[in-house]
Amino acid sequence: MVDTLDTTRTIAMAPSLMTMDLDQFKEQITFLNDKVNMYHIDVMDGHFVPNISLSPWFIGEVRKISNLPMDAHLMVTDAEFWVDQLIDIKCERINMPSEVINGKAFSLIGKIHAAGLKAGVVLNPETPISTIMPYIDQLDNVMIMTIDPGFAGQPFLESTLDKIVELRRLRDEHGYGYEIEMDGSTNLKHWKMISDAAPDTYVIGRSGLFGLTDNIEDSWNQMVGEYEQSTGYRFNTGR
């Protein structure tokens, strides 16, 4: 199998730190630092989604033991409040909920860019791409949720993969500069169909990495094996 794997594809991996084992925080981050491309930080306010999760403060804790970029996923009703906090700590990529920024999307994107950071938006499963078309050319990242947001372990929604394919078509046709990220139930059951849709960045959580074994190295090796067996591609993050 090793000799027949396709080596033409490079993918970016962003472990979702909401799903890691916090009692192994330092051990897991230290192991992943030279293997992944960035860390995915979920910020929830208890209103946009019913859960409350990580905060900008947590990014500072991760930075004590990692120099990798931070990829913030805002699930909040007051996007500007949280964007300002993330700008203050220079979070490298800030992904805003498209459903709440209508009327101020250009100003928020401009504010993020003025700080030298990357601006992204998130499309939840029921939100169409048409929502972001007025400013799609300004974006550095578009994140597609393949599950309902707010909690890990939600059912995978295969139809959302069509948005990834459409975003790639639009990017190729118009020369847009955004990357395409997917988030939700990235695991053995779905590796093949996600790979066929071909996002640039994979958010990986408990079902695909942190929950596979009780040891991060064993879990990583299992994840790599499952990806390669399912997709036929050599696992390569460019690290």
Side-chain angles (χ1 to χ4, degrees):
M1 180 68 174
V2 171
D3 293 335
T4 63
L5 289 174
D6 190 323
T7 61
T8 60
R9 179 180 293 182
T10 301
I11 61 174
M13 294 294 292
S16 174
L17 299 191
M18 179 182 77
T19 62
M20 72 184 301
D21 295 319
L22 292 179
D23 61 341
Q24 300 179 43
F25 171 79
K26 185 174 182 180
E27 175 188 345
Q28 292 184 343
I29 295 293
T30 300
F31 175 82
L32 292 170
N33 275 339
D34 63 351
K35 298 184 179 300
V36 303
N37 306 87
M38 65 193 80
Y39 289 118
H40 184 80
I41 311 293
D42 290 300
V43 179
M44 309 178 191
D45 64 359
H47 299 285
F48 186 77
V49 292
N51 202 1
I52 297 175
S53 186
L54 306 177
S55 71
W57 167 85
F58 188 80
I59 292 176
E61 296 302 299
V62 178
R63 281 183 169 152
K64 292 177 181 178
I65 52 176
S66 178
N67 293 319
L68 289 182
M70 301 295 162
D71 176 55
H73 174 190
L74 295 180
M75 288 170 267
V76 299
T77 54
D78 186 353
E80 188 165 12
F81 172 80
W82 294 98
V83 165
D84 287 343
Q85 291 199 44
L86 291 167
I87 286 174
D88 285 345
I89 61 172
K90 301 188 184 306
C91 178
E92 285 82 359
R93 188 157 79 182
I94 303 171
N95 299 289
M96 302 171 287
S98 58
E99 297 85 2
V100 304
I101 63 171
N102 186 38
K104 49 191 172 184
F106 284 99
S107 63
L108 287 172
I109 294 168
K111 181 184 289 191
I112 294 169
H113 284 163
L117 306 171
K118 293 183 178 181
V121 295
V122 185
L123 291 175
N124 287 325
E126 70 278 10
T127 306
I129 293 174
S130 59
T131 303
I132 64 172
M133 286 306 296
Y135 51 86
I136 194 170
D137 62 326
Q138 305 295 309
L139 295 171
D140 303 298
N141 194 57
V142 181
M143 184 189 304
I144 299 300
M145 293 299 297
T146 53
I147 62 172
D148 283 329
F151 294 92
Q154 297 295 306
F156 184 83
L157 302 170
E158 185 175 350
S159 63
T160 59
L161 298 176
D162 293 339
K163 294 180 191 176
I164 296 174
V165 175
E166 177 63 9
L167 284 168
R168 285 198 292 108
R169 185 193 69 79
L170 288 169
R171 182 172 65 184
D172 292 343
E173 184 175 316
H174 298 282
Y176 296 140
Y178 55 76
E179 295 183 7
I180 305 168
E181 183 173 11
M182 65 75 54
D183 181 5
S185 202
T186 313
N187 55 37
L188 175 61
K189 187 176 180 180
H190 308 122
W191 272 125
K192 179 65 168 74
M193 62 182 73
I194 295 170
S195 176
D196 288 346
D200 303 301
T201 304
Y202 295 69
V203 176
I204 187 80
R206 188 153 191 83
S207 67
L209 175 61
F210 292 113
L212 295 180
T213 74
D214 59 4
N215 175 275
I216 186 60
E217 183 173 1
D218 292 341
S219 294
W220 178 266
N221 291 335
Q222 181 175 330
M223 180 202 70
V224 170
E226 291 176 350
Y227 170 88
E228 293 184 344
Q229 181 179 9
S230 298
T231 67
Y233 285 99
R234 172 74 66 190
F235 186 88
N236 180 15
T237 64
R239 298 299 311 277

